[in-house]
Amino acid sequence: MIDLVTGAAGFLGSHLCDALLARGHEVIGLDNFFTGRKENVRHLLGDPRFELIRHDVTSPILLEAGRIYHLACPASPIHYQYNPVKTIKTSVLGTIHMLGLAKRVKARILLASTSEVYGDPEQHPQRESYWGRVNPIGPRSCYDEGKRVAESLMVNYRAQNGVDTRIARIFNTYGPRMALNDGRVVSNFILQALRHEPITIFGRGEQTRSFCYVSDLVEGVALMMEQDGFAGPLNLGNPQEVTVLELAETILRLTGSRSKLEFRPLPADDPERRCPDVALAREKLGWEARVPLADGLRETIAHFRRELKA
Ligand code: NAD
Ligand code: UDP
């Protein structure tokens, strides 16, 4: 059986390709290299079971596959706000094209959705049954609403066309191969700490996030794909909630950095609290995140050190 991974040269996509190949699968990766890099999958290019195709999912494609992991979409606010119309097209047209393909070749398809569908939530922690609080005209809407439409497409292709779908709602994930310039909080703080530059805290740093290490996340995604009879949506994330300030302090300690904290204005619509309720993942998949934040950060810091040297 062939696995198709869209967004294969990105952060999560490249780790997912590693994991699927390690399980003995054949993998076709699609990417338009907007935020992904060939470097992320260079070590796979000699593997006869791996094929990388330059393709933009806003155009249709015809391929044979048994499983489609649909990850293509920029994920960091800086990247998805760079060309918001393109972000919407990627989520909406990209998901329509991948669902059309799944329907045609009878593949099972998993959407990499996001905790952003909950917007700036009034319920805490967020359960799958919560509908969210998203500003449809705010700066994050191209991403949040794009993913909400993508979820609706998944549900409706399932009901109307019998496509075998899975919706994974992924919470903030970090690890090696995050793009250095992606502006996300973990990559920003590690880079700033390693360069002894000021750590840029947006707002007062009291907002929270829950960070999941990439190996845990990829395991959850692969398990969900192979789970029969449960379409989701399903939260995948680490429920250990930390403030942005606590994250900065942990990274300063682990890097031994001399960086000072610098407070900057909070971006519009920045969610105040975010933490997954993972009871359903435990029940349906027997899955939960295992890597503690400090351990995952150590691995990520080591990777960033190597990248900076190179
Ligand atoms: P990423 O930016 O590293 O990877 C996205 C990949 O998709 C890149 O390789 C990019 O070049 C590719 N891509 C973008 N637009 C495309 C298009 N039109 N056609 C083909 N390829 C395209 O981001 P990531 O962190 O690896 O995220 C992967 C997926 O997981 C995304 O769908 C994202 O929304 C979702 N997600 C990620 C997180 C996280 O914390 N990393 C959280 C929630 C959801
Ligand atoms: N953030 C910060 N400094 C930075 C980058 C981000 O304080 O240099 C904050 C940001 O305002 C948000 C949190 O960290 O509250 C997570 O931001 P990120 O862009 O990583 O992801 P998202 O907001 O999409 O969860």
Side-chain angles (χ1 to χ4, degrees), residues 4-8 29-34 53-61 63 68-74 86-101 109 111 147:
L4 178 63
V5 177
T6 74
L30 295 188
D31 210 293
N32 71 349
F33 302 110
F34 171 41
I53 301 175
R54 180 186 289 268
H55 175 75
D56 192 310
V57 294
T58 58
S59 298
I61 190 165
L63 289 164
I68 302 174
Y69 293 86
H70 182 36
L71 276 65
C73 184
K86 175 73 188 206
T87 300
I88 298 169
K89 286 183 182 168
T90 293
S91 264
V92 178
L93 294 176
T95 305
I96 289 174
H97 292 142
M98 286 306 133
L99 279 162
L101 178 64
I109 177 170
L111 170 72
K147 290 286 187 180

Side-chain angles (χ1 to χ4, degrees), residues 6-14 30-37 40 55-59 70-76 79 86 89-91 94 111-116 143 147 168-174 177-179 182 184 212 217:
T6 74
F11 162 52
L12 295 183
S14 63
L30 295 188
D31 210 293
N32 71 349
F33 302 110
F34 171 41
T35 53
R37 304 187 302 160
N40 287 342
H55 175 75
D56 192 310
V57 294
T58 58
S59 298
H70 182 36
L71 276 65
C73 184
S76 104
H79 288 154
K86 175 73 188 206
K89 286 183 182 168
T90 293
S91 264
L111 170 72
S113 186
T114 168
S115 53
E116 288 282 315
Y143 183 71
K147 290 286 187 180
R169 291 187 179 150
I170 300 170
F171 283 65
N172 295 61
T173 302
Y174 70 99
R177 300 190 201 145
M178 291 183 88
D182 76 358
R184 284 189 263 194
C212 185
L217 193 279

Side-chain angles (χ1 to χ4, degrees), residues 77 140 172 184-185 188-189 200 202 207 209 244 270 274:
R140 299 172 83 101
N172 295 61
R184 284 189 263 194
V185 69
N188 266 11
F189 286 3
T200 53
F202 298 166
Q207 69 273 37
R209 295 293 185 271
V244 164
D270 200 281
R274 188 184 288 149

